[in-house]
């Protein structure tokens, strides 16, 4: 833990997706644990996920207009100077009204105006990049500060130090073995069989849902137990005729800590938050990157796959035949599964929130000393 004192007020900018909001809230909680009197304010938009999650966690939210940064010529590009100017002005007001001594940006729509406003107000900036491939906002932010944190060692940004992903404390401090009995009971699972957690995140992943729904009987026949989180509105009733362990289907759970404690292996997308949670708790995984966007999900999983803690499977290859031909032999090899778990834990980072808080304190100290 750093010897530097935290600033009295911090403005945390990020929103739009859980990938930005989750680490923002984890840092906010860490700052508050360290210094209960610190003023922590979030900067977001009226329509993003942050508009619901930030107030629910007990933090004030100030809003800026949403400023999409187009990747190619479009009408949005012509409107950009006007809309960006309004967003920067709103971010400057947030800095002034909160007396923020440090601005921390997590990327996305909100961070660009926050970085520009902080630069104009001469307030130090801390950047946190969640993905292996940095987005436009954080590529800009990293040029304006020496305080840049990345989740993955492979991320290329100026001045970057690897902190990992700030995680919810119930995940970061999870002891899977100690909580396993409670976890199995929570989901109505059995204590003996090897257990697979299938999850496509809060929205679900149709490719995963289709492949596993078609192989319920095959999995149960092989002695495999499954906890399948399908996403809201995508659940199905599994065919539990015939012998074998149970197959539990839920649309979602607000107790992912217990889902992880119940599992021996996970099949999931490769969002940065998912990869970091699974490695932090030492869970081996089959990562199925989302086949859209700029391909960052494949890069997110690259380090843990290279270390032997996970497998990478193309979305199109995740079929019922793959479950039969590839997954079942893997699950039958407990020595390999255990080795993958150890390898995953070896690249996991449980203290990223503390490391990022250290960076905030260091930025504030440098600013107080008149340095940048």
């Amino acid at each position: 833990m750093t010897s530097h004192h935290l600033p009295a007020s911090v403005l945390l900018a990020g929103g739009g997706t859980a990938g930005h909001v989750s680490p923002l809230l984890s840092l906010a909680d860490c700052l508050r644990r360290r210094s209960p009197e610190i003023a922590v304010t979030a900067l977001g938009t009226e329509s993003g996920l942050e508009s619901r999650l930030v107030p629910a966690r007990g933090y004030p939210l100030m809003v800026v207009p949403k400023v999409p940064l187009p990747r190619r010529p479009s009408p949005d590009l012509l409107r950009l100077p006007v809309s960006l100017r309004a967003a920067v002005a709103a971010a400057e007001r947030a800095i002034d009204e909160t007396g923020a001594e440090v601005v921390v940006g997590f990327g996305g729509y909100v961070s660009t105006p926050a970085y520009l406003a902080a630069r104009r107000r001469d307030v130090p900036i801390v950047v946190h990049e969640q993905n292996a491939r940095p987005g436009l906002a954080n590529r800009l932010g990293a040029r304006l500060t020496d305080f840049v944190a990345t989740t993955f060692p492979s991320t290329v940004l100026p001045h970057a130090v690897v902190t990992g992903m700030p995680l919810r404390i119930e995940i970061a401090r999870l002891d899977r073995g100690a909580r396993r009995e409670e976890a199995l009971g929570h989901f109505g699972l059995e204590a003996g069989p090897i257990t697979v957690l299938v999850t496509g995140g809060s929205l679900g992943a149709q490719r995963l849902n289709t492949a596993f729904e078609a192989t319920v009987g095959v999995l149960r026949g092989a002695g495999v137990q499954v906890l399948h989180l399908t996403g809201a509105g995508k659940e199905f009733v599994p065919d539990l005729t015939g012998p074998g362990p149970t197959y539990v289907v839920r649309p979602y759970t607000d107790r992912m800590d217990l889902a992880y404690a119940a599992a021996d292996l996970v099949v999931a997308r490769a969002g940065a938050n998912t990869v970091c949670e699974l490695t932090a708790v030492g869970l081996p995984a089959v990562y199925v990157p989302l086949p859209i966007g700029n391909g960052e999900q494949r890069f997110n999983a690259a380090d843990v796959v290279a270390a032997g803690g996970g497998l990478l499977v193309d979305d199109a290859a995740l079929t019922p035949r793959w479950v039969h031909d590839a997954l079942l032999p893997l699950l039958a090899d407990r020595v390999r599964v255990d080795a993958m778990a150890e390898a995953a834990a070896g690249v996991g980072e449980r203290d990223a929130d503390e490391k990022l808080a250290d960076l905030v304190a260091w930025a504030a100290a440098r600013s107080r000393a008149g340095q940048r």
Side-chain angles (χ1 to χ4, degrees):
M1 187 175 292
T2 182
S3 59
H4 294 309
H5 295 299
L6 288 171
S9 178
V10 178
L11 186 65
L12 309 182
T17 68
H20 297 311
V21 181
S22 295
L24 182 156
L25 289 172
S26 296
L27 175 63
D29 290 347
C30 180
L31 293 171
R32 178 123 344 141
R33 285 197 305 273
R34 282 195 185 187
S35 178
E37 67 278 4
I38 190 173
V40 179
T41 306
L43 191 68
T45 66
E46 288 182 327
S47 57
L49 206 57
E50 66 276 12
S51 64
R52 179 170 55 85
L53 297 183
V54 169
R57 196 78 142 251
Y59 297 102
L61 176 72
M62 301 184 75
V63 299
V64 298
K66 187 175 178 179
V67 186
L69 294 176
R71 296 181 180 273
R72 57 187 61 85
S74 72
D76 283 340
L77 190 59
L78 299 176
R79 289 191 290 268
L80 186 59
V82 174
S83 55
L84 184 58
R85 196 155 48 236
V88 171
E92 287 183 286
R93 285 194 297 274
I95 291 171
D96 294 343
E97 291 176 19
T98 61
E101 296 174 39
V102 178
V103 169
V104 186
F106 293 86
Y109 297 138
V110 179
S111 291
T112 300
Y115 295 147
L116 295 174
R119 180 65 175 256
R120 290 176 65 167
R121 285 292 189 263
D122 202 29
V123 171
I125 296 165
V126 175
V127 173
H128 185 274
E129 174 56 54
Q130 293 85 60
N131 290 300
R133 276 186 160 181
L136 294 174
N138 280 350
R139 293 209 303 270
L140 168 68
R143 296 172 62 183
L144 304 178
T145 181
D146 291 341
F147 305 101
V148 179
T150 65
T151 297
F152 300 106
S154 55
T155 303
V156 179
L157 281 174
H159 319 298
V161 296
V162 181
T163 60
M165 174 80 80
L167 301 174
R168 292 170 290 170
I169 196 165
E170 63 268 25
I171 301 294
R173 298 187 182 175
L174 177 66
D175 181 333
R176 288 172 49 224
R179 303 292 295 280
R180 186 172 178 88
E181 184 178 348
E182 174 194 357
L184 293 171
H186 180 82
F187 292 107
L189 296 164
E190 302 166 32
I194 191 166
T195 302
V196 175
L197 169 64
V198 179
T199 174
S202 57
L203 298 178
Q206 196 56 50
R207 174 74 66 177
L208 274 59
N209 291 347
T210 301
F212 278 84
E213 183 177 6
T215 52
V216 171
V218 170
L219 288 158
R220 295 182 66 240
V224 176
Q225 179 170 246
V226 177
L227 171 59
H228 189 153
L229 306 177
T230 61
K234 298 177 181 177
E235 56 268 41
F236 60 89
V237 178
D239 181 3
L240 298 181
T241 56
T246 191
Y247 191 114
V248 174
V249 175
R250 298 273 184 92
Y252 60 88
T253 179
D254 56 7
R255 293 302 306 271
M256 283 304 294
D257 56 328
L258 294 183
Y260 292 156
D264 296 294
L265 183 135
V266 180
V267 180
R269 291 298 192 198
N273 217 61
T274 298
V275 173
C276 293
E277 288 189 348
L278 294 179
T279 54
V281 303
L283 265 171
V286 173
Y287 293 106
V288 188
L290 196 64
I292 61 171
N294 65 2
E296 69 264 14
Q297 286 206 353
R298 178 174 291 275
F299 290 93
N300 290 342
D303 291 338
V304 63
V305 169
L311 302 176
L312 203 60
V313 177
D314 287 341
D315 184 76
L318 201 287
T319 62
R321 177 170 288 279
W322 176 88
V323 173
H324 183 274
D325 293 351
L327 183 61
L328 289 183
L330 171 61
L331 295 172
D333 188 346
R334 293 302 293 260
V335 172
R336 186 182 177 196
V337 171
D338 289 345
M340 287 177 67
E342 191 172 334
V347 298
E349 176 55 70
R350 288 177 175 248
D351 298 321
D353 55 348
E354 298 286 352
K355 291 180 178 179
L356 190 56
D358 285 346
L359 209 56
V360 172
W362 187 25
R366 283 265 303 270
S367 178
R368 283 192 292 265
Q371 300 172 317
R372 278 284 178 267

